[in-house]
Amino acid sequence: YISFITASAIVKFSFLTVHFFMTRSFHILLLFFFFFFLMIRRPPRSTLSSSSAASDVYKRQPQQHNLNQPMPNHAGARQPGHGQGRGAQRKGGRGQRRGRGNRHGWNTGTGSHDAINKSDGNASPYHDISEVVGKMYHLSKDQLGCRFLQKCLDDGPAVADMIFNEIEPHFIELMTDPFGNYLCQKLMENCQPAVRTRVVELLAPKLADICYDSHGTRAVQRLIAILAQNSIQQAEQHAVVSALQLNLIHLVRNLNGNHVVQACLHHLSSDTNQFIFDDVTANCVHVATHRHGCCVMQRCIDYGNAEQRDVLISEIVSKTLLLVQDPYGNYV
């Protein structure tokens, strides 16, 4: 009886299998798999210029060219001297725009190329400071012009006096200029102490605003370092300190201003920096719980004298429970 049941099941299974293969659904399924495998393609390979399904043999070939020989004329390539008029004009136009030479009246045409040192791609068309009298303000805001004026400062303090006298009405503006701030930094370094005193007097009323700027903060930090190296200019140091003291906590919590405060801690004496310790200690939590303020407070602990550190640490200890739970205060 069991054998009969088994044989019946096998016959029934075979009948159903044959019936399935004869139905339309089998043909549909077969057609689906056919198109599925037809759609499978080889994954694309990258070339030097773009990603495509092309062969990557070119990518494996070493790129060696003789610089003294012209490139081979591939499809679409141009031979030297043929059809390059517009391309050369566009290239020259881009260079002039980046250098911003034409905007300030620089002679960047082919007639001035003989006067430029071909070995220096960043050479300016000027050779002496006397050629730019009356143009120094505009040149100081230009990349090539600023470099030229900085190079002229190497000729001595007399040139620094000449440049400062011309750009003095715009000195605050140039301190925050992307190119002019470098000229201001080198001028402050190379000028006579009397000129440096005049610079401090100019900057003091707007010193905090300059510190908030991403370019101005670097120039002010350089000024502090220069004044710290000249012990005879104590009065200028106190003028800078007095200007910073009015906005110290805002500077401490500012993205750019906090670096100026850290420069004071690093370069000036602990007695000169007493105003920093007084304000930071009085605003301990407000400073320590800020992402930039906590860095300044750590530098205070590093650079303060024994008495200053003791007072500050005592204040920090009294606020320990609050600071250890803060994302920034815990570092202090």
Side-chain angles (χ1 to χ4, degrees), residues 78-131:
R78 297 181 180 181
Q79 290 290 347
H82 296 281
Q84 293 185 351
R86 294 179 59 187
Q89 292 175 1
R90 287 196 300 268
K91 184 175 181 180
R94 286 195 297 269
Q96 292 171 1
R97 287 196 298 272
R98 289 176 182 173
R100 288 183 273 185
N102 288 341
R103 188 176 70 175
H104 302 314
W106 285 39
N107 183 13
T108 56
T110 56
S112 64
H113 288 176
D114 295 336
I116 301 177
N117 184 4
K118 297 299 180 61
S119 64
D120 185 2
N122 294 323
S124 77
Y126 299 108
H127 300 82
D128 187 79
I129 189 66
S130 60
E131 300 178 27

Side-chain angles (χ1 to χ4, degrees), residues 175 200 203-212 216-217 219-225 227 236-253 256-265 268 272-273 275-276 279:
M175 287 282 286
V200 173
L203 300 180
K206 297 289 184 180
L207 193 61
D209 294 333
I210 298 172
C211 295
Y212 296 143
T217 181
V220 176
Q221 292 173 58
R222 182 61 185 150
L223 172 62
I224 293 172
L227 292 177
E236 287 75 9
Q237 292 185 25
H238 291 293
V240 172
V241 165
S242 300
L244 296 177
Q245 187 174 6
L246 301 175
N247 300 275
L248 181 67
I249 300 302
H250 290 90
L251 290 169
V252 166
R253 292 166 58 91
N256 300 309
N258 78 90
H259 295 292
V260 175
V261 180
Q262 293 188 51
C264 291
L265 292 169
L268 303 181
T272 305
N273 290 326
F275 76 104
I276 300 177
D279 285 1

Side-chain angles (χ1 to χ4, degrees), residues 121-181:
N122 294 323
S124 77
Y126 299 108
H127 300 82
D128 187 79
I129 189 66
S130 60
E131 300 178 27
V132 297
V133 174
K135 306 176 184 178
M136 295 181 189
Y137 165 64
H138 296 290
L139 294 181
S140 61
K141 301 182 69 174
D142 180 271
Q143 185 176 18
L144 296 181
C146 179
R147 290 179 180 177
F148 171 74
L149 292 176
Q150 291 179 64
K151 186 177 180 180
C152 292
L153 287 171
D154 296 332
D155 295 336
V159 177
D161 294 344
M162 181 187 303
I163 295 176
F164 177 74
N165 291 334
E166 187 163 326
I167 67 173
E168 180 179 3
H170 312 281
F171 201 86
I172 295 177
E173 175 190 351
L174 294 177
M175 287 282 286
T176 58
D177 185 79
F179 301 121
N181 77 91

